[in-house]
Amino acid sequence: MSQRHSDSSLDEKLLEYRFHSELRLDANGSPASGLPMVRGSLQVRDGTISQPEAPAPPEDVEARPIVLSTQSPAALKMGTQQLIPRGLAVYSRAKAPARHQSFGAAMLSKEAARRSPGLLSVPSFSLDDMDVDTGSGGTLRRNLRNQSYRAAMKGPGTPGREGGPTQLSPRLQALAEEPSQPPSRSQTKHKRTIGRKRAHKGSFKDDPQLYQEIRERGLNTSHESDDDMLEDNTSLNGPRKVDTIVVKSYRPAQVTWSQLPEVVESGILDTLPAEERKRQEAIFEILTSEFSYQHSLGVLVAEFLHSKELRATVTQTEHHHLFSNILDVLGASQKFFEDLEQRHKEQVCMEDISDILEEHAERHFHPYVVYCSNEVYQQRTLQKLISSNAAFHEALQEIERQPACGGLPMISFLILPMQRVTRLPLLMDTLCLKSQGHPERYKAASRAMKAISKLVKQCNEGARTMERTEQMYTLNKQLDFGKIKSLALISASRWLLKRGELSLVEDSGLFRKIASRLTCYLFLFNDFLVVTKKKSEDSYAVQDYAQIEHIEVQKIEPSDFPLPGSSNRTSSVPYPFLVTMLRNSEGRQEQILLSTDSASDRARWITALKHRERQWQGHANKGDLLQVEVTKAYFAKQADEVSLQQADVVLVLEQEDGWLYGERLRDGETGWFPEAFARSITSRVAVEDNVRRMERLRMETDV
């Protein structure tokens, strides 16, 4: 585009000559030869700006045209669809210091804007002067680092006129190799948020994750889980809203069924109903999570089991207690995954996998029962070696630092079989829910869930039986009944609920006093309470005992009984409770006033002593109970505690002084655990879904 300037005033001519001088233009308005830069700059000498003197303008000089870049001969030859630097078409912000325009370039822009407000010329600027973002059609949308460029782009709009940048003419468009523009950046671009998905172009086996790092969506039956599955493919078709909830503890499985290349290329997603797609996602998640689990077992075998350095620090028995039959467990997982993968290769849209799971649970998963039965020896051996074997501890730390272990301790690998076998019923329950619209598939999924639940029950009973049997044999040797009528401790139906040392408050007529740290040691079984005096670490003298149905317990506050002459009675008897044996070993009634060092210890003893009574008490509506989700695994250290795995859901029945007493949702096991290992579930929908799942699992599997 060319433009002629009138010579209506001498000031305008002076300004035009200043432009020519400042921009170093020749008589034709083109850059002078030998000048590499189009953009002029002021000469700075000694900190002052020297401006070249403009020659006196002739009186009869015809105004010369200023040729813009878009109307240059090269531009006319190439056409308006010009090739431009790629930097002008991308949306990323250039991290370069801002520079300023020269005086002449800025004045040229302002003068052109003043003469023709509706027709704005392109100012001279460097790429460093702005960040370029292109919208649809190639229009410049944002940047504007300095005020002069912002004013030049917006133009002197009239009052009442809608603000906003005026489109440049002709438009600069992006290169043809970039057909679509990237979406605008979000303020939360660096956060990992729920639902953020990426397109996957390869197999789910390309980049396996450790099983400890994922959490299966099938563990959650809430509506958010279903919506998350359906949204997996939306990122491939267009931008989606970014969720602001940040997930810190878990990462989802890397690839979903809808993102597989063979699924996308088949076009089946265009016609597949939403419910069937959810079912396919549930099936595929069992496949991918089994592969991650198998990968983690491989790390356990390769890095720990086969480590010569670690093997040299332990005995053969200790090595067997640590790893048991882990090779058999790995073999069972490999066979299971091979059958799942074969079904996946045969059918893009898998008909079902319930038959595969049912067959393996009934015929090939017995190594899990053996491995779980060894759990008590495994944990005891590991704790002993870490605390007393310096060479083992040093070798173990060296292995755990290897990149293959992902910075995770060996115990997180050792408990994987227990985690996997207890999660499979929940994953199959999710598949049952997604198959309700098809009776035959639902029946098959229910049979598979019952088969795997039966296996889990065998694993739990195997571990529990092994621990209880060993415990009773040990206690039978340690308890000395003396003159007290002996009690046959060893029984298949008897196990220890709680043990520990407590302070004994002595009763002397009308006055009660604390003896000089008089203590007793209690052993509470599921059917008897045995009161002893500790003689050594492995010897206890029995003082009395009573059947559990003849025991009454009462919580007492320190203010409920006076201690004459003691001004510090609250600290002397901080947390007392009264135990009444209605019929002791001699057939008469006896009372014992005991005291603990913390409120949580007292609450735990009272709860344990009321074990038989609590068994017959149920909650009318378990949906009203507090629910918590376990954020990190916890291993029971005492008989009244419950071991928990990451992502377990627990119904809280009681809480005291930083400890929670609850019922594990997946199998009904109860016990105490630290409050710091869990977080509350506040969603009412999630709470109700968890209660329904618990009731359904109990009914379907008879757990």
Side-chain angles (χ1 to χ4, degrees):
M1 178 186 68
S2 65
Q3 179 178 354
R4 293 183 176 273
H5 298 278
S6 63
D7 53 353
S8 57
S9 68
L10 181 61
D11 293 338
E12 294 176 355
K13 292 182 179 181
L14 289 173
L15 180 62
E16 180 177 332
Y17 276 101
R18 176 168 291 187
F19 288 159
H20 279 71
S21 175
E22 188 68 35
L23 298 177
R24 302 186 183 184
L25 303 177
D26 58 18
N28 296 324
S30 302
S33 59
L35 297 178
M37 294 180 61
V38 175
R39 174 180 175 178
S41 60
L42 298 179
Q43 299 177 1
V44 181
R45 296 187 184 94
D46 299 328
T48 61
I49 301 177
S50 62
Q51 300 181 1
E53 297 182 358
E59 295 187 2
D60 295 328
V61 177
E62 188 176 318
R64 296 178 178 83
I66 299 176
V67 181
L68 301 179
S69 62
T70 52
Q71 290 295 321
S72 65
L76 295 177
K77 183 177 180 181
M78 293 292 296
T80 58
Q81 304 294 328
Q82 300 177 50
L83 294 177
I84 63 174
R86 184 166 181 169
L88 291 175
V90 298
Y91 73 99
S92 59
R93 182 180 296 275
K95 301 298 181 181
R99 299 177 185 174
H100 298 284
Q101 292 175 294
S102 66
F103 171 78
M107 291 298 298
L108 178 60
S109 301
K110 293 180 180 179
E111 177 65 15
R114 185 183 70 80
R115 292 181 177 277
S116 300
L119 190 60
L120 188 64
S121 62
V122 180
S124 173
F125 59 87
S126 168
L127 286 179
D128 296 330
D129 289 330
M130 70 173 194
D131 295 329
V132 181
D133 192 9
T134 56
S136 58
T139 57
L140 297 175
R141 295 193 309 188
R142 64 186 175 90
N143 344 317
L144 321 177
R145 286 195 181 178
N146 56 62
Q147 183 62 30
S148 62
Y149 180 67
R150 184 180 294 110
M153 288 297 292
K154 292 179 66 175
T158 59
R161 180 180 177 182
E162 292 184 3
T166 306
Q167 291 185 350
L168 301 178
S169 178
R171 295 180 179 178
L172 301 178
Q173 296 188 0
L175 298 177
E177 63 191 43
E178 296 190 16
S180 60
Q181 300 300 326
S184 60
R185 290 173 291 179
S186 168
Q187 294 180 354
T188 58
K189 62 179 180 178
H190 295 302
K191 293 182 180 179
R192 179 178 299 160
T193 55
I194 291 179
R196 178 168 294 189
K197 307 296 187 298
R198 296 178 175 86
H200 297 276
K201 298 182 180 180
S203 168
F204 65 90
K205 300 167 66 175
D206 291 344
D207 185 21
Q209 293 180 351
L210 294 174
Y211 191 62
Q212 299 95 313
E213 296 179 337
I214 70 169
R215 179 187 175 184
E216 299 94 327
R217 295 184 186 90
L219 299 180
N220 181 18
T221 58
S222 65
H223 300 292
E224 289 89 350
S225 179
D226 286 346
D227 295 340
D228 198 33
M229 285 183 179
L230 287 179
E231 290 175 358
D232 285 343
N233 200 38
T234 58
S235 62
L236 302 178
N237 301 326
R240 47 178 302 220
K241 185 179 179 180
V242 177
D243 201 327
T244 58
I245 302 176
V246 179
V247 176
K248 297 181 179 179
S249 301
Y250 311 105
R251 290 193 297 172
Q254 189 175 11
V255 185
T256 63
W257 178 78
S258 302
Q259 293 173 326
L260 292 175
E262 55 266 32
V263 175
V264 176
E265 294 170 1
S266 68
I268 194 173
L269 295 177
D270 299 332
T271 58
L272 197 66
E275 289 303 318
E276 176 59 22
R277 180 176 166 187
K278 294 176 186 177
R279 195 180 75 90
Q280 290 297 321
E281 296 288 3
I283 291 175
F284 187 68
E285 186 172 48
I286 295 177
L287 171 68
T288 55
S289 60
E290 185 68 27
F291 182 71
S292 294
Y293 164 67
Q294 179 183 309
H295 172 63
S296 291
L297 287 185
V299 173
L300 173 62
V301 171
E303 301 296 329
F304 296 97
L305 176 66
H306 291 161
S307 171
K308 296 180 180 179
E309 293 77 10
L310 194 68
R311 180 67 180 84
T313 63
V314 298
T315 65
Q316 184 176 354
T317 301
E318 291 171 337
H319 195 264
H320 175 71
H321 283 169
L322 281 178
F323 300 104
S324 186
N325 64 328
I326 191 62
L327 291 177
D328 296 336
V329 174
L330 177 59
S333 174
Q334 290 172 340
K335 292 179 182 178
F336 180 48
F337 176 75
E338 288 172 3
D339 289 348
L340 292 176
E341 187 180 30
Q342 182 63 32
R343 182 70 56 87
H344 169 65
K345 291 179 179 179
E346 293 172 355
Q347 304 170 352
V348 174
C349 187
M350 287 178 281
E351 181 70 19
D352 201 4
I353 62 168
S354 300
D355 56 326
I356 299 177
L357 182 59
E358 181 181 8
E359 178 186 359
H360 281 263
E362 292 179 345
R363 301 182 181 181
H364 307 297
F365 280 178
H366 183 71
Y368 282 95
V369 179
V370 177
Y371 188 87
C372 293
S373 300
N374 182 63
E375 180 183 7
V376 59
Y377 299 106
Q378 182 185 76
Q379 295 185 14
R380 183 186 305 162
T381 302
L382 180 61
Q383 292 174 1
K384 177 184 175 182
L385 289 173
I386 290 177
S387 61
S388 61
N389 190 330
F392 171 84
H393 194 195
E394 183 179 353
L396 181 63
Q397 288 182 322
E398 184 64 29
I399 296 174
E400 290 174 346
R401 285 193 288 265
Q402 297 301 315
C405 300
L408 299 173
M410 184 174 72
I411 186 62
S412 70
F413 292 91
L414 291 175
I415 65 174
L416 286 176
M418 282 82 80
Q419 287 184 342
R420 182 59 178 173
V421 77
T422 53
R423 288 184 183 182
L424 281 175
L426 301 179
L427 297 177
M428 284 307 303
D429 177 58
T430 300
L431 184 56
C432 284
L433 293 176
K434 303 295 184 287
S435 305
Q436 289 179 336
H438 196 290
E440 293 301 322
R441 292 174 179 171
Y442 181 80
K443 290 180 181 179
S446 297
R447 289 195 303 269
M449 185 173 66
K450 289 181 180 179
I452 193 63
S453 297
K454 182 179 179 181
L455 176 74
V456 173
K457 191 173 183 179
Q458 292 174 352
C459 291
N460 289 336
E461 290 178 351
R464 192 180 299 124
T465 301
M466 187 72 69
E467 179 181 11
R468 290 174 178 175
T469 301
E470 184 198 23
Q471 196 173 58
M472 297 309 298
Y473 272 100
T474 302
L475 289 178
N476 190 52
K477 297 178 181 179
Q478 294 178 348
L479 295 183
D480 180 13
F481 284 85
K483 297 180 180 180
I484 304 296
K485 184 180 178 180
S486 182
L487 178 67
L489 284 180
I490 300 177
S491 172
S493 59
R494 181 175 294 138
W495 62 89
L496 185 69
L497 294 179
K498 188 171 179 60
R499 60 184 290 178
E501 191 172 37
L502 297 94
S503 298
L504 179 64
V505 181
E506 192 174 53
D507 187 356
S508 59
L510 298 177
F511 303 99
R512 297 181 177 91
K513 62 180 181 179
I514 296 292
S516 56
R517 193 57 183 172
L518 185 62
T519 62
C520 65
Y521 202 99
L522 267 58
F523 291 89
L524 178 62
F525 301 95
N526 63 311
D527 56 350
F528 272 91
L529 172 65
V530 180
V531 181
T532 72
K533 182 174 180 59
K534 186 176 181 180
K535 297 190 297 183
S536 64
E537 289 298 329
D538 55 359
S539 180
Y540 304 87
V542 177
Q543 304 294 311
D544 209 348
Y545 62 82
Q547 293 184 359
I548 199 70
E549 57 262 26
H550 296 155
I551 295 293
E552 290 182 355
V553 60
Q554 178 185 358
K555 177 181 177 182
I556 296 178
E557 297 300 334
S559 58
D560 292 344
F561 59 94
L563 294 179
S566 174
S567 60
N568 195 22
R569 56 187 174 87
T570 302
S571 60
S572 299
V573 191
Y575 303 100
F577 64 98
L578 181 65
V579 175
T580 302
M581 294 187 289
L582 300 177
R583 188 174 179 177
N584 66 353
S585 59
E586 298 178 355
R588 55 187 175 83
Q589 181 173 323
E590 196 69 47
Q591 284 188 334
I592 309 176
L593 187 59
L594 303 169
S595 176
T596 63
D597 294 331
S598 66
S600 61
D601 282 344
R602 179 174 63 177
R604 291 172 62 168
W605 271 108
I606 293 175
T607 300
L609 288 165
K610 292 183 176 181
H611 169 73
R612 181 66 63 88
E613 180 182 341
R614 297 177 68 98
Q615 283 184 321
W616 303 104
Q617 293 179 350
H619 294 272
N621 186 7
K622 292 190 175 182
D624 295 335
L625 296 174
L626 171 67
Q627 292 185 13
V628 295
E629 181 182 11
V630 178
T631 56
K632 53 183 176 180
Y634 177 73
F635 301 100
K637 298 177 178 59
Q638 297 185 29
D640 65 334
E641 297 178 3
V642 60
S643 294
L644 298 171
Q645 300 172 9
Q646 203 172 46
D648 270 345
V649 176
V650 183
L651 302 177
V652 178
L653 307 176
E654 190 176 344
Q655 47 186 325
E656 184 75 49
D657 193 25
W659 284 81
L660 302 178
Y661 177 78
E663 178 182 350
R664 197 165 56 195
L665 181 144
R666 56 181 166 87
D667 57 5
E669 192 76 17
T670 59
W672 290 88
F673 60 96
E675 186 178 5
F677 282 72
R679 62 184 176 189
S680 299
I681 299 176
T682 57
S683 170
R684 189 64 194 171
V685 175
V687 168
E688 294 174 354
D689 285 344
N690 289 335
V691 172
R692 283 194 293 268
R693 162 173 273 195
M694 179 185 66
E695 294 173 349
R696 186 172 59 252
L697 286 172
R698 307 284 170 83
M699 181 181 64
E700 292 285 347
T701 62
D702 191 27
V703 174

